[in-house]
Amino acid sequence: MKPVTCRTQPGRPAEPKIDRSVTLHLRGDWGGANLHRVCGWIAQELADRCGPHTRIATWNSRGFSDAVRAVGRGEVHVAMTTPTAFAVAALEGRGGYADESFPDLRALGVVPQRDRLVVAVHQDLGIHTFAELRESKPALRLATSVNDGVNHVGLAAHEVLTRSGVDITGWGGELLEDERPFESLDHVREGRANAIVHEAVMLPPWQELGRFMNFLEVEQDVLDGLYEDFAWPAAVVDDDYFPGCRAFRTLDFSDFLVLTRADLADDLAYAIAWVLGETRHVIEGQYRHLAPERSPVTYPLDPVTMGETPVPLHPGAARYYNALPAS
């Protein structure tokens, strides 16, 4: 008999039991980061509640528009992507999805990660605002992710800089482009870069670098344009989140979206949403050695807010969230 770690509590939505054996394909991240970890959690808890010959595989991915397209095309049943808001454009074929829309995308929930895309320049440059940056036109060596039409960080960095009137190469500077944040942070730490546009602000290297960087607030007209064109929201970085840095507004880069299509079986959609909400202690336990505000998963997880997604919920998932007791 399979081990089952959780049973229905009084007043909670009913625990799923799927008698048939299923084969599911999930899509996570490169293999060693948080999206893959979430997929492993879903796979373990879902398999415990399905037939004895259930098989669940997690495919490697970049976790950006490639994941959205893969699930939209039916290549996988469930995909993880981040940030959550960036998937909205795929529903209507806006922005990077102008060539191929996916109106049948549905959400199973979100795993919260409070994150921001930030623009920072070395304090030696004496620049504190985008206006000063445009006036000075320094030859920056700027680290960020690749802008290849897939990587959401590179895409967002390009949009923010271009709409802010910043021309890195035109001003005689250099772009240092990589896939993941670790390489970009290393460029700054090791002196190869004197500016950075990136996310994953909870990573420890940001605390080290923050003492030597000025963080630039993204101007309101830029934030408004990004929301109008792509539905990308703005957010605040709180006072002293980076050492000695006052609060500022920038682009929100929050949350991991669990994405599927409308044709996923209702009982599977309900079961996955139930796993997210009712076995949340499984994933929380993997991050509790970190303070919530410094954790790649912002715990404690709240099932109600996990069901609040900018992409419409799958009806099976909605059945779980609608069954939650009123707070």
Side-chain angles (χ1 to χ4, degrees):
M1 180 178 292
K2 294 181 181 180
V4 176
T5 57
C6 181
R7 293 296 183 189
T8 301
Q9 299 297 315
R12 301 300 299 180
E15 180 176 1
K17 176 59 178 174
I18 299 173
D19 292 331
R20 71 185 185 281
S21 296
V22 300
T23 298
L24 282 181
H25 294 271
L26 313 182
R27 188 158 166 148
D29 55 45
W30 310 283
N34 301 291
L35 303 188
H36 242 59
R37 184 174 287 188
V38 170
C39 286
W41 162 42
I42 293 171
Q44 171 180 293
E45 298 301 320
L46 182 63
D48 281 348
R49 294 165 176 87
C50 292
H53 306 295
T54 291
R55 299 181 303 164
I56 303 175
T58 299
W59 291 87
N60 289 63
S61 177
R62 296 169 68 185
F64 302 122
S65 68
D66 61 318
V68 176
R69 291 180 185 274
V71 73
R73 293 168 179 166
E75 297 170 6
V76 295
H77 300 97
V78 176
M80 303 286 303
T81 187
T82 187
T84 290
F86 278 41
V88 174
L91 292 167
E92 301 174 354
R94 288 190 286 165
Y97 300 98
D99 62 332
E100 187 179 16
S101 64
F102 301 100
D104 290 335
L105 289 174
R106 297 294 182 267
L108 298 171
V110 297
V111 177
Q113 184 203 40
R114 190 183 188 201
D115 201 359
R116 307 287 185 260
L117 186 91
V118 296
V119 182
V121 298
H122 200 281
Q123 291 175 356
D124 289 349
L125 296 169
I127 292 168
H128 301 84
T129 66
F130 272 104
E132 292 176 357
L133 184 60
R134 288 190 295 269
E135 181 178 0
S136 179
K137 295 181 173 60
L140 295 176
R141 303 184 307 278
L142 186 138
T144 189
S145 285
V146 292
N147 179 30
D148 60 355
V150 174
N151 190 301
H152 285 162
V153 179
L155 170 65
H158 171 80
E159 290 291 342
V160 167
L161 293 174
T162 299
R163 291 169 183 244
S164 299
V166 177
D167 186 356
I168 300 298
T169 56
W171 295 349
E174 178 185 5
L175 285 169
L176 304 175
E177 296 176 306
D178 293 279
E179 173 70 4
R180 291 179 280 271
F182 314 106
E183 296 91 344
S184 296
L185 290 164
D186 283 345
H187 286 317
V188 180
R189 293 170 70 185
E190 296 168 13
R192 293 184 294 275
N194 59 0
I196 184 171
V197 182
H198 231 293
E199 45 91 58
V201 295
M202 75 294 299
L203 292 177
W206 278 112
Q207 295 302 300
E208 174 189 343
L209 297 178
R211 298 193 299 270
F212 310 104
M213 308 295 283
N214 291 335
F215 291 85
L216 309 188
E217 181 165 75
V218 180
E219 293 160 327
Q220 191 61 50
D221 64 321
V222 173
L223 293 173
D224 290 343
L226 292 171
Y227 187 78
E228 291 169 7
D229 292 343
F230 307 130
W232 296 354
V236 172
V237 176
D238 294 333
D239 283 329
D240 293 318
Y241 189 86
F242 300 109
C245 181
R246 298 185 64 179
F248 62 96
R249 284 176 63 77
T250 187
L251 193 63
D252 194 6
F253 227 73
S254 293
D255 298 339
F256 305 143
L257 179 63
V258 188
L259 200 59
T260 190
R261 296 198 322 180
D263 58 1
L264 184 72
D266 265 28
D267 58 353
L268 286 171
Y270 175 89
I272 293 172
W274 187 94
V275 164
L276 295 176
E278 301 302 310
T279 72
R280 57 193 183 275
H281 62 282
V282 175
I283 197 72
E284 287 177 344
Q286 300 181 43
Y287 293 92
R288 286 196 176 275
H289 62 290
L290 302 168
E293 67 275 10
R294 303 295 177 188
S295 171
V297 168
T298 308
Y299 67 87
L301 279 62
D302 173 28
V304 173
T305 58
M306 293 169 78
E308 296 171 354
T309 70
V311 172
L313 283 169
H314 187 290
R319 183 160 57 89
Y320 163 73
Y321 296 110
N322 290 337
L324 290 168
S327 57

